[in-house]
Amino acid sequence: MGTVVTGAATVRVRNQRDCYAGLELYAPDRAAASIDLSDNTNRWGMPPAAELAMRELAADSCARYPEIYAASLKEALAAYAGVSPSMIVTGCGSDDVLDSAIRAFVEPGDRIAIPEPSFAMIPLFARMNGATPVMVPLAEDYAVDAERMLRGDTGVIYVCSPNNPTGTVAGRAGVEALADGARGVVIVDEAYAEFAGADLVDLARTRPNVLVVRTMSKAFGLAGLRVGYAVGAPGLVQEVEKSRGPYKVSAVASAAAISALRDDLPWVREHIALAVANRERLSLELAHRRIPALPSSANFVLAPLANADGIALDMRRLGVAVRPFTNLRGISPGLRATGGSALRISVGPWPEIEATLVALDRARASCA
Ligand SMILES: *Cc1c(COP(=O)(O)O)cnc(C)c1O
């Protein structure tokens, strides 16, 4: 409740939803660093064809509204995903698609089952939409614990594969069990699928309750343009589209994304292969330092390490940003040994990783 003074009278106004009371703005420590391997974006940059399309966009395209539901972009995405355009919904980043999907499929008070640890935004989107997040620990082998996620009366189930921040995969069998057993929609967040060499889009084609959410922010190098999408049965994506609303993808973003999909897939694939090779090389480098990185299928590696906060702070002073976690609960002997403390290091060009390893060694020496 807020208070408004109007002349002599004081009027109480309702200016906050109850479920927003404990919510804070998203504000991780983002001081500039010359090498930034903290957010899993494409460190090789954006696809050249996308950059060209953006520069050549007619000024008139920006004076007009973009397509209401991004029909041309849907066509390009559908060709890429191997589905029909009626099975695609787009959004202002996949964050927007995830938020819209939760809003579309939960009633206030519903429970949403979410693995722990996983993408930190999901419990927030749940609460923003009046739903209650129910956290379910990942199994020992990092697979999704389908039996526990299905327990209890959940309106929506969220799974992330490869999972952020662990980099591990949920397991096809577990996701299929969720789809078969769920009372409501199963959201499968595949932000990093391109780095895994396998995906679950076929489940969106064969199950009426599976929504596979993807993004152009990671493998496609377009995080700044904010393009996300989901694949699902036409009736399902239509509900998300209603919830999302019109004009969510800008004309600039749409033109760049379409060019990347139509003209630059070889560029994208080449850099995915580089990221995968450097990921394996980084894991070996960490192993040499007796840091047992989790088995990653994404473009980042999670390294269990005591005092992650202190080490990340020291590394930042040395000009390198990585993402520390201090309280990852529920899994794996490696993480239990550090009390849930770990660094998430994105994979980029090797010179950036080399500089990151130098900073890591110096920070560990001075924190020891
Ligand atoms: C990065 C990320 C996203 C969000 O990406 P957008 O930039 O909003 O498309 C979604 N899910 C996971 C798991 C992510 O790591």
Side-chain angles (χ1 to χ4, degrees), residues 93-95 98 119 158 160 164 189 191-192 215 217-218 226-228:
S94 62
D95 275 4
L98 289 162
F119 188 35
Y158 170 86
C160 185
N164 181 4
D189 187 343
Y192 302 98
T215 179
S217 296
K218 307 287 161 56
R226 316 300 304 126
V227 181

Side-chain angles (χ1 to χ4, degrees), residues 45-279:
M46 77 188 290
E51 188 177 347
L52 192 67
M54 215 170 73
R55 289 182 197 286
E56 290 185 342
L57 190 70
D60 188 50
S61 298
C62 292
R64 309 296 303 265
Y65 280 104
E67 291 174 316
I68 301 178
Y69 294 112
S72 311
L73 174 59
K74 278 190 198 177
E75 262 178 51
L77 287 167
Y80 172 67
V83 298
S84 81
S86 65
M87 290 184 68
I88 303 277
V89 56
T90 63
C92 177
S94 62
D95 275 4
D96 181 37
V97 178
L98 289 162
D99 178 34
S100 301
I102 290 171
R103 188 163 52 249
F105 300 121
V106 300
E107 299 288 357
D110 273 359
R111 292 148 56 95
I112 303 184
I114 304 168
E116 182 168 34
S118 192
F119 188 35
M121 292 307 294
I122 304 302
L124 296 177
F125 290 146
R127 287 161 62 197
M128 281 161 61
N129 290 297
T132 305
V134 177
M135 309 308 289
V136 179
L138 289 171
E140 282 280 320
D141 61 354
Y142 315 107
V144 62
D145 190 340
E147 201 181 305
R148 279 187 72 176
M149 293 200 86
L150 287 167
R151 231 177 270 163
D153 195 26
T154 51
V156 163
I157 294 176
Y158 170 86
V159 203
C160 185
S161 185
N163 185 43
N164 181 4
T166 58
T168 54
V169 292
R172 170 173 289 269
V175 179
E176 283 177 352
L178 288 178
D180 291 339
R183 215 174 38 82
V185 175
V186 178
I187 298 175
V188 184
D189 187 343
E190 284 202 325
Y192 302 98
E194 279 89 353
F195 304 101
D199 65 57
L200 298 166
V201 162
D202 59 293
L203 296 183
R205 245 185 273 121
T206 53
R207 320 275 172 139
N209 62 337
V210 171
L211 188 78
V212 173
V213 179
R214 294 281 194 84
T215 179
M216 299 198 70
S217 296
K218 307 287 161 56
F220 278 87
L222 299 178
L225 289 178
R226 316 300 304 126
V227 181
Y229 62 103
V231 186
L236 203 61
V237 300
Q238 200 177 22
E239 293 308 302
V240 180
E241 203 149 72
K242 280 188 209 167
S243 157
R244 178 209 93 142
Y247 305 122
K248 285 298 174 76
V249 180
S250 76
V252 180
S254 182
I258 290 169
S259 285
L261 290 160
R262 296 229 171 109
D263 307 327
D264 252 346
L265 281 184
W267 185 96
V268 171
R269 295 204 167 112
E270 183 188 321
H271 290 89
I272 290 168
L274 276 173
V276 169
N278 286 355
R279 173 185 80 204

